[in-house]
Amino acid sequence: MSEKTESAYGGAAMAQKKLTIPELVAMKRDGKKITMMTAYDVAFARLVDRAGIDMLLVGDSAGMVMLGYPNTVPVTMDNMVQMAASVARGATHPVLVGDMPFGTYQTGPQDALRNAARFLKEAGMDAVKIEGGRETVDTVRMLVENGIAVMAHVGLTPQRVAQFGGFKTQARSARAARRLIDDAVALEDAGAFSIVLESIPAPVAAMVTERLGIPTIGIGAGPDCDGQVLVLHDVLGLFGDFKPKFAKRYADIGSQVVAALTAFDADVRSGAFPDADHSFTMKETELEALKQDLARPARPKAV
Ligand code: KIV
């Protein structure tokens, strides 16, 4: 049962029952589709929460849509922890996943454990996400053995954008697809509770989904995945710099924001804002007293 409470921003926040990782994994077994959305701050986390989304990813896509970098590589752990903590203060229902930035888990197990633990201890995340195939299997196993739930991520892993020569669809040849399927199986064996499949042919994603017991969450991976994820700014029309083919725009909030700000700009310049409805008054007697006080000659300053 959901309980409604009024919040200053994002309208009514719903204090909803928290979804757990085992419940999420069971959704695959029960044939229920899983939804995941990114968010990077408390206002949008509340809205994602109200929409009933199952998983909320604080993605390192923040590097592009929040921080203005050309790709996700420059994002730091401090960037991510601050945004993730904000998100955790706004979302009550979804499983919360913090995305491990480039260079925070490849440098060795101790670094991976320390950085992943920051997401749980400092930011209130339920799990972390790590990009990569078999080269990350030992890290995934070590994190899981130490009590940290891990979501894997294969296919177009944006942290390798330079190696890939751009944001290109992966696993298009039989050989590359076979490698990806084997990677996914190895990551499940290592203990990952779920896996993102990004920008791969739909039939390959279907084969991975059929072979794994854990949920596959697709982004540009066709309709046969157990769930789907998109980047919030793509869905809402808040980011025009880069639009992947797989990103579906469900709203054009960007245009509405520009229209609202243009109206504010015009109102201030014309004097239409603020009007009486948005201003404060004081008692006539107090105002008169103030005026008389100001009219009196100033008292000499004490030396
Ligand atoms: O960083 C991100 O937002 C992601 C999703 C695209 C899966 O990794």
Side-chain angles (χ1 to χ4, degrees):
M1 189 68 176
S2 302
E3 188 184 303
K4 253 189 190 176
T5 54
E6 286 304 316
S7 71
Y9 297 102
M14 306 286 282
Q16 300 185 78
K17 185 183 165 293
K18 174 85 181 165
L19 188 66
T20 67
I21 291 174
E23 283 167 350
L24 192 93
V25 175
M27 287 173 75
K28 172 172 180 135
R29 211 180 42 231
D30 298 341
K32 291 187 186 148
K33 286 282 187 190
I34 297 168
T35 55
M36 178 159 108
M37 186 56 55
T38 67
Y40 316 95
D41 64 24
V42 65
F44 278 110
R46 282 187 186 135
L47 299 174
V48 171
D49 195 56
R50 283 178 67 191
I53 300 284
D54 300 314
M55 297 177 86
L56 200 161
L57 172 67
V58 187
D60 66 353
S61 48
M64 298 170 78
V65 300
M66 297 294 289
L67 303 176
Y69 295 126
N71 55 52
T72 61
V73 173
V75 177
T76 67
M77 202 60 216
D78 285 346
N79 293 151
M80 293 303 296
V81 167
Q82 195 176 32
M83 286 185 274
S86 173
V87 163
R89 289 190 282 269
T92 56
H93 171 71
V95 170
L96 301 176
V97 183
D99 211 359
M100 299 281 285
F102 181 66
T104 64
Y105 55 95
Q106 296 94 336
T107 46
Q110 290 312 312
D111 283 352
L113 186 55
R114 192 179 56 250
N115 286 319
R118 286 191 66 191
F119 267 129
L120 274 63
K121 287 164 70 83
E122 296 175 40
M125 296 288 101
D126 301 310
V128 301
K129 179 168 81 58
I130 285 186
E131 291 186 10
R134 67 199 62 188
E135 72 283 2
T136 63
V137 158
D138 290 342
T139 305
V140 171
R141 184 174 293 108
M142 182 275 299
L143 291 177
V144 172
E145 279 170 0
N146 283 284
I148 298 179
V150 180
M151 180 172 208
H153 183 161
V154 296
L156 170 54
T157 43
Q159 292 173 12
R160 288 180 180 256
V161 64
Q163 274 182 333
F164 293 150
F167 294 94
K168 293 186 177 156
T169 304
Q170 301 296 305
R172 294 190 108 145
S173 68
R175 191 151 170 249
R178 177 62 205 249
R179 196 177 158 81
L180 182 138
I181 292 168
D182 292 345
D183 280 355
V185 171
L187 288 160
E188 173 171 25
D189 289 346
F193 74 93
S194 177
I195 184 166
V196 170
L197 307 178
E198 179 164 352
S199 205
I200 61 173
V204 178
M207 288 173 196
V208 175
T209 302
E210 195 184 294
R211 277 166 177 74
L212 298 190
I214 57 171
T216 59
I217 309 295
I219 173 162
D224 294 317
C225 299
D226 299 305
Q228 298 290 330
V229 57
L230 283 175
V231 170
L232 182 78
H233 288 55
D234 292 336
V235 171
L236 299 183
L238 286 171
F239 190 70
D241 299 3
F242 172 67
K243 167 140 181 3
K245 172 180 156 68
F246 54 71
K248 181 168 172 185
R249 184 170 285 185
Y250 284 82
D252 189 6
I253 306 296
S255 302
Q256 290 182 38
V257 170
V258 174
L261 300 183
T262 307
F264 165 76
D265 182 83
D267 275 4
V268 172
R269 291 180 200 286
S270 71
F273 177 84
D275 55 12
D277 284 351
H278 298 94
S279 304
F280 300 103
T281 56
M282 64 195 289
K283 280 187 186 153
E284 258 325 302
T285 49
E286 291 300 321
L287 185 59
E288 210 35 57
L290 175 64
K291 282 180 184 165
Q292 281 176 17
D293 187 41
L294 287 171
R296 260 185 242 122
R299 266 172 268 146
K301 279 204 180 101
V303 241

